[in-house]
Amino acid sequence: MNKYIIEIFSPVVLILSFVLLNGATVTSAQNVKSIVNTSHLDYLYKKINVNGKDMGIIHIYADYPDYKYVEAGGEGIACVDDAARAEVFYIKYYKMKKNPEVLDKIKNLNRFLTYMQAANGFFYNFIWKDYTIDSTYRTSVAEPNWWSWRAVWALAEAEKFFTKEDPGFISEFKPNLDKAIKVTHQWLAENYSNKKDNFKGIEIPAWLPGNYAADQSAIMVKAFTVYYETNKNKEIKNDIVKLCEGIIGMQLYSGHENNESNGQKKMPPYSVFLSWQNTWHEWGNSQADALLGAGRILKNKKYITHALKEIEEFYPYLMKENFLNDFTVIRNGNILEMEDVNKFPQIAYGIRPMVFASLKAYQITRNKKYAVTAAKLAGWFFGKNPANANMYNPKTGVCFDGILNEKEINKNSGAESTIEALLSLVEIEQNAVARKNLLEQCIQKKNNVN
């Protein structure tokens, strides 16, 4: 049997099967070995050579049941979006394992990112199968967009990482990072204003990426915060402040009491950070995570307070609803209401930002409730989801690409889902409270099934 073919188990049995194969008991979370398995990501990774220079790519798609590589039609075989995510993951993973092969992957992925930088300082996204750059497709042009922010984030994380691990390597990419930071700073300076627009009664900042993208802004904050931590650049500090204020301008407060007293059927968005315009969507919402990181580095309690409100109020609401895909918000008089609520699809990329934010909240406050929240959110990967399905397999490292409805799973396992799952679990793994709670949830559910 191909090692990438997945065995389908009843909920939670996957993780416990992994436990049993490694000789641990199912009665104690302390005995469970690592649930972080990089096998599938390592399979998606490929070392290539372009113009005599080694670099690393991550294949975009791998389809069930044999998980052979699949090209993204009209775009290419690999992209900056996934390489940046993978580099951030491998940096975190190397701190656990200190494996030279992991270090080699980090360097090669870093070289791929610099290869993809355009003359304007931003980044192209996709490459073709002959390793030439796709510079024209709308999701690949070098512009201020998701893939550019992720590239800057990964390069900033790499600078911080290599300062301790291999300072000599930094010279390979420091000019690229500084150039990307400079053009991003210039772009923000040109677009920053006090302008706001109104969508269905909701006033929001109109100068963020894509005019209204708080989700993209969060990745910029994460990139700038890491860069500032290493370089102490005052201009970048000011940019962090601007972006954080913009994100806070996208946070809504609950009209819960008014809605209940007026008999409204639609529940309000508890302290949620909208993603774009008057819409919230599950994928890529790193706003709370970004504010916590910036609040910690800049010693700004305001940012931390706003982030904690979403974690404390909105995350429990989502878990109670068994998660959502998206909704819009309108203002009806003094009351906030939700419209066009969709539950599906659900993906790993929707869970990881909340896990990151919850664990960062624990790191800052030392309140265990946040680590427990992170564990409950991560339970989505092990059957605590609308389909009651295991989305991540600790024996193979495969994470399915999504939940389509209560009965249907997209069993493909591409780069995004794989990396987002591993990013979630590598953080859980390094937090004793969250790790213990997640494993005990799985053990308790297994025992209840029996």
Side-chain angles (χ1 to χ4, degrees):
M1 179 183 287
N2 186 303
K3 68 177 179 178
Y4 296 106
I5 294 179
I6 303 302
E7 296 174 283
I8 306 301
F9 291 84
S10 60
V12 189
V13 174
L14 275 173
I15 190 170
L16 296 176
S17 299
F18 179 75
V19 170
L20 290 169
L21 286 171
N22 285 278
T25 70
V26 294
T27 58
S28 173
Q30 299 297 327
N31 295 327
V32 177
K33 292 188 178 182
S34 175
I35 57 174
V36 178
N37 186 340
T38 66
S39 296
H40 189 61
L41 178 58
D42 294 340
Y43 162 72
L44 295 175
Y45 170 88
K46 182 179 181 180
K47 186 176 181 178
I48 66 173
N49 188 282
V50 181
N51 300 325
K53 187 174 185 178
D54 288 339
M55 57 187 70
I57 63 170
I58 305 292
H59 284 274
I60 297 174
Y61 298 130
D63 285 359
Y64 180 85
D66 55 8
Y67 293 103
K68 290 180 180 178
Y69 304 143
V70 177
E71 183 175 348
E75 294 177 312
I77 64 166
C79 66
V80 162
D81 262 335
D82 295 329
R85 281 187 177 101
E87 181 173 9
V88 171
F89 166 74
Y90 278 124
I91 285 172
K92 293 177 181 293
Y93 188 66
Y94 181 82
K95 293 174 183 178
M96 288 175 54
K97 298 296 182 181
K98 298 287 184 180
N99 186 324
E101 292 182 3
V102 175
L103 188 63
D104 187 59
K105 287 183 173 70
I106 295 168
K107 290 183 176 181
N108 285 330
L109 289 166
N110 202 84
R111 293 183 181 116
F112 173 70
L113 296 182
T114 58
Y115 167 65
M116 298 296 285
Q117 189 173 31
N120 67 4
F122 294 112
F123 294 80
Y124 300 112
N125 197 15
F126 287 92
I127 62 164
W128 302 110
K129 59 184 178 182
D130 64 357
Y131 306 149
T132 57
I133 296 173
D134 177 355
S135 61
T136 59
Y137 193 72
R138 60 182 177 82
T139 59
S140 192
V141 294
E143 64 182 11
N145 212 322
W146 281 105
W147 47 94
S148 288
W149 315 138
R150 286 203 185 91
V152 179
W153 176 35
L155 292 176
E157 292 282 6
E159 181 185 27
K160 180 180 176 180
F161 170 73
F162 283 112
T163 297
K164 294 181 179 179
E165 292 297 332
D166 186 357
F169 182 70
I170 295 175
S171 62
E172 273 200 31
F173 66 91
K174 179 65 170 170
N176 302 82
L177 172 59
D178 288 343
K179 183 175 183 177
I181 288 287
K182 181 179 179 180
V183 299
T184 303
H185 165 74
Q186 291 173 341
W187 176 88
L188 182 60
E190 291 168 2
N191 286 272
Y192 179 72
S193 71
N194 292 320
K195 183 182 177 184
K196 291 186 177 183
D197 284 342
N198 189 297
F199 294 90
K200 298 289 185 73
I202 311 296
E203 274 202 346
I204 60 173
W207 51 268
L208 300 173
N211 294 332
Y212 317 106
D215 46 11
Q216 287 190 45
S217 301
I219 302 300
M220 294 174 71
V221 169
K222 287 173 69 65
F224 278 167
T225 300
V226 178
Y227 185 83
Y228 174 74
E229 190 178 3
T230 305
N231 295 275
K232 296 297 185 278
N233 183 304
K234 291 184 179 179
E235 286 186 336
I236 298 306
K237 179 180 180 180
N238 292 335
D239 289 341
I240 295 170
V241 172
K242 290 177 182 177
L243 288 165
C244 286
E245 292 298 329
I247 291 171
I248 288 172
M250 298 283 283
Q251 187 173 34
L252 300 180
Y253 297 96
S254 174
H256 187 200
E257 294 78 14
N258 288 336
N259 274 0
E260 285 192 337
S261 64
N262 287 308
Q264 300 292 328
K265 293 182 180 180
K266 296 179 180 178
M267 300 297 288
Y270 302 98
S271 298
V272 63
F273 291 103
L274 295 174
S275 307
W276 185 77
Q277 294 185 357
N278 61 321
T279 299
W280 175 88
H281 56 69
E282 66 151 354
W283 60 92
N285 277 276
S286 295
Q287 293 91 307
D289 176 35
L291 286 174
L292 288 168
R296 180 170 58 183
I297 297 301
L298 302 185
K299 297 180 172 30
N300 189 312
K301 292 182 179 179
K302 175 183 175 181
Y303 302 162
I304 294 172
T305 298
H306 279 271
L308 293 180
K309 283 187 70 66
E310 184 182 62
I311 296 169
E312 291 172 358
E313 297 180 12
F314 184 57
Y315 291 5
Y317 168 76
L318 278 182
M319 287 187 281
K320 181 181 177 182
E321 294 294 311
N322 217 352
F323 302 99
L324 299 172
N325 177 272
D326 65 282
F327 58 79
T328 58
V329 181
I330 66 169
R331 185 177 296 280
N332 184 0
N334 293 324
I335 301 171
L336 296 178
E337 297 180 6
M338 295 168 68
E339 286 191 333
D340 303 322
V341 180
N342 296 300
K343 199 174 190 69
F344 301 103
Q346 294 183 14
I347 57 177
Y349 187 23
I351 303 301
R352 191 275 303 161
M354 294 190 290
V355 171
F356 268 35
S358 300
L359 291 176
K360 196 164 288 180
Y362 170 76
Q363 293 166 5
I364 292 171
T365 67
R366 309 313 294 179
N367 190 324
K368 290 184 178 181
K369 71 178 183 180
Y370 297 116
V372 172
T373 295
K376 289 179 178 179
L377 290 162
W380 183 91
F381 293 104
F382 300 105
K384 298 191 75 172
N385 55 57
N388 201 32
N390 291 288
M391 298 301 291
Y392 169 78
N393 186 338
K395 296 197 294 181
T396 63
V398 164
C399 180
F400 293 148
D401 276 345
I403 301 174
L404 304 179
N405 53 57
E406 285 90 347
K407 297 181 180 180
E408 189 177 3
I409 302 298
N410 178 351
K411 294 177 183 177
N412 300 332
S413 185
E416 179 180 280
S417 299
T418 302
I419 301 165
E420 292 290 335
L422 292 175
L423 281 168
S424 301
L425 297 174
V426 77
E427 291 291 295
I428 292 282
E429 188 92 321
Q430 296 179 85
N431 183 294
V433 177
R435 181 180 186 276
K436 182 173 182 290
N437 190 273
L438 174 61
L439 293 173
E440 286 180 346
Q441 284 182 67
C442 294
I443 290 168
Q444 182 181 19
K445 187 168 183 180
K446 170 61 178 174
N447 290 339
N448 289 341
V449 169
N450 291 339

